[in-house]
């Protein structure tokens, strides 16, 4: 059976071009497919994997049947979640709130089949002046039937104000309801930085970036997407080149194509490392055994847990606002540890008072 690093490379190979209608069959054996199926299912990329093998000789293998079942399940869920989105948007508009839907269906609609891209909760951005009304609506008996994640600012996370998001947003038809979504430039920016801030542990996120690149409108404004901050622009460019090098996304005519020759050598290897471990589609890989406050009373296992908490280089670099270059990553990893330790110490008195 392939080793872990080989498995993550096989995942990348299988998911290459999987968002396209006519991707060629992959060059994998039955055993190789079986070896990576838990990684594909756990990351939410099972349906995309089925899309890639459905017309190949692999389609009759036991692993393929699992992937086909994932596709069927996602297709059913897509219909259910689309109905929920329409009801949530209608509920908020009845409260005089006009939300912007990010991620989820907003990116699933770019795929040839919305069943290829699973999603669950409804991520909505609202104006700060409308946040209270939106929270009240979501907290109402009807609103509590849905899982809604409300945001009222993007300034810190993606360098994009709510007003900038609204000014460029557009309305898209979802059945009989028009849903407001970010413009293509802002959405690619949001998805790229979201992936990096979470350490790029889901290959599905890179597929999202790939499909967003290949379905972008003819008048796509790269300056608007990359923004004015050179460091953030470089982060986004690296995400686009990752989609090109790992998944085969077509970037030949983009302004970031030149970056392919200068991608930091540590970046691809660390993305592949994040793809090695099976996990639940609903939860990030577990990096610690217990909350740090637990070790105040019982220090057993602390050293082992500290080793597990050592941050991955991607997440650490973004956390401290570092550049993606060839410099060693350990200073950024130390910086994240120091920052998180400072936050832990600041919260500790309250946690101890509350018995946590």
């Amino acid at each position: 059976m392939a080793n872990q690093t080989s498995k993550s490379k096989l995942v990348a190979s299988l998911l290459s071009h999987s968002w396209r209608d006519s991707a060629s069959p992959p060059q994998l054996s039955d055993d190789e497919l079986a070896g990576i199926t838990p990684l594909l299912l756990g990351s939410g990329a099972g349906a995309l994997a089925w899309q890639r093998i459905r017309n190949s000789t692999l389609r009759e293998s036991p692993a393929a049947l699992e992937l086909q079942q994932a596709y069927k399940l996602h297709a059913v869920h897509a219909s259910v979640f689309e109905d929920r989105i329409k009801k949530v948007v209608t509920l908020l508009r009845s409260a005089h709130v006009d939300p912007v839907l990010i991620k989820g269906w907003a990116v699933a609609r770019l795929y040839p089949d919305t069943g290829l891209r699973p999603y669950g909760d409804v991520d909505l951005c609202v104006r700060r002046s409308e946040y209270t009304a939106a929270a009240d609506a979501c907290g109402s008996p009807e609103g509590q039937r849905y899982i809604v994640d409300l945001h009222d600012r993007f300034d810190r996370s993606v360098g994009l104000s709510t007003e900038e998001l609204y000014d460029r947003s557009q309305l898209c038809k979802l059945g009989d309801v028009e849903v407001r979504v970010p413009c293509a430039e802002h959405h690619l920016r949001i998805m790229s930085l979201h992936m990096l801030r979470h350490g790029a542990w889901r290959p599905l996120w890179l597929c999202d970036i790939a499909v967003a690149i290949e379905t972008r409108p003819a008048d796509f404004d790269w300056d608007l997407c990359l923004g004015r901050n050179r460091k953030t622009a470089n982060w986004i460019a690296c995400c686009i080149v990752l989609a090109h090098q790992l998944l085969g996304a077509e970037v030949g005519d983009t302004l970031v194509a030149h970056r392919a020759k200068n991608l930091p050598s540590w970046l691809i290897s660390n993305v592949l490392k994040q793809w090695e471990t099976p996990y639940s589609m609903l939860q990030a890989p577990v990096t610690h055994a217990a909350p740090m406050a637990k070790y105040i009373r019982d220090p057993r296992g602390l050293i082992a847990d500290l080793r597990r908490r050592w941050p991955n280089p991607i997440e650490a670099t973004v956390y401290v606002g570092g550049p993606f270059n060839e410099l060693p990553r350990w200073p950024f990893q130390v910086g994240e540890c120091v920052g998180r330790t400072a936050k832990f110490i600041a919260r500790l008195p309250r946690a101890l008072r509350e018995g946590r």
Side-chain angles (χ1 to χ4, degrees):
M1 190 63 69
N3 62 38
Q4 287 300 90
T5 301
S6 297
K7 284 185 178 182
S8 58
K9 290 181 179 179
L10 287 174
V11 168
S13 175
L14 179 56
L15 293 180
S16 294
H17 306 154
S18 59
W19 57 89
R20 297 179 184 170
D21 267 326
S22 56
S24 60
Q27 300 299 311
L28 267 73
S29 68
D30 286 1
D31 285 345
E32 286 174 329
L33 180 62
I36 62 174
T37 292
L39 301 177
L40 295 164
L41 295 174
S43 68
L48 281 170
W50 169 249
Q51 166 86 345
R52 188 79 196 282
I53 67 172
R54 65 193 308 169
N55 295 317
S56 75
T57 56
L58 291 168
R59 63 173 290 123
E60 301 299 333
S61 68
L65 295 179
E66 291 187 69
L67 299 174
Q68 184 184 35
Q69 285 300 111
Y71 166 71
K72 291 179 178 179
L73 183 63
H74 296 333
V76 171
H77 284 175
S79 177
V80 173
F81 291 138
E82 286 175 11
D83 184 62
R84 290 178 182 175
I85 290 168
K86 290 190 291 184
K87 289 179 178 177
V88 169
V89 169
T90 301
L91 174 66
L92 289 180
R93 285 182 179 154
S94 69
H96 308 291
V97 176
D98 185 20
V100 177
L101 178 72
I102 59 173
K103 299 180 293 183
W105 177 81
V107 63
R109 68 189 179 90
L110 303 178
Y111 288 86
D113 179 346
T114 55
L116 295 174
R117 206 291 184 189
Y119 50 95
D121 59 347
V122 183
D123 278 282
L124 296 175
C125 182
V126 299
R127 295 183 175 91
R128 294 180 196 174
S129 59
E130 298 176 348
Y131 185 83
T132 299
D136 289 344
C138 291
S140 67
E142 182 181 354
Q144 289 181 10
R145 296 165 55 191
Y146 315 109
I147 302 175
V148 180
D149 192 3
L150 281 177
H151 309 267
D152 66 341
R153 61 185 301 166
F154 277 110
D155 309 52
R156 295 178 182 175
S157 60
V158 296
L160 179 66
S161 72
T162 306
E163 288 309 314
E164 288 175 314
L165 181 72
Y166 269 89
D167 287 345
R168 296 276 185 165
S169 65
Q170 57 192 36
L171 291 170
C172 293
K173 275 284 188 181
L174 177 55
D176 57 349
V177 175
E178 288 192 320
V179 177
R180 188 173 297 279
V181 299
C183 67
E185 294 87 349
H186 285 164
H187 211 193
L188 180 54
R189 178 186 184 89
I190 291 168
M191 290 188 291
S192 297
L193 296 178
H194 173 267
M195 183 183 77
L196 294 178
R197 290 186 185 281
H198 290 277
W201 59 267
R202 290 184 77 182
L204 182 65
W205 291 335
L206 198 59
C207 291
D208 289 344
I209 291 170
V211 75
I213 295 166
E214 293 197 356
T215 60
R216 70 189 185 280
D219 60 350
F220 188 89
D221 186 341
W222 281 104
D223 289 335
L224 180 63
C225 174
L226 299 176
R228 295 178 291 273
N229 185 289
R230 291 182 62 183
K231 182 166 53 184
T232 302
N234 180 252
W235 291 349
I236 298 169
C238 283
C239 289
I240 294 167
V241 176
L242 277 172
H244 167 65
Q245 294 199 3
L246 286 178
L247 302 179
E250 180 55 58
V251 298
D253 60 343
T254 68
L255 292 179
V256 298
H258 70 281
R259 193 70 174 86
K261 299 179 181 179
N262 302 303
L263 200 66
S265 58
W266 54 269
L267 187 55
I268 287 182
S269 62
N270 277 280
V271 169
L272 290 173
K273 185 177 181 180
Q274 302 309 308
W275 294 1
E276 290 173 359
T277 306
Y279 45 81
S280 165
M281 184 172 65
L282 301 177
Q283 187 175 11
V286 177
T287 57
H288 56 275
M292 283 300 294
K294 175 260 186 186
Y295 297 111
I296 300 295
R297 299 181 177 87
D298 182 4
R300 289 175 297 179
L302 173 61
I303 300 302
D305 209 11
L306 286 175
R307 293 195 187 100
R308 283 191 289 265
R309 288 173 179 270
W310 186 245
N312 81 61
I314 302 168
E315 186 177 2
T317 301
V318 175
Y319 182 89
V320 301
F324 278 22
N325 54 27
E326 292 293 350
L327 292 175
R329 293 298 99 184
W330 67 262
F332 304 109
Q333 292 168 291
V334 170
E336 179 179 355
C337 290
V338 170
R340 294 194 182 279
T341 299
K343 290 181 179 180
F344 167 72
I345 293 173
R347 295 193 300 263
L348 185 57
R350 180 177 178 180
L352 291 174
R353 286 196 304 270
E354 296 175 352
R356 290 188 281 116

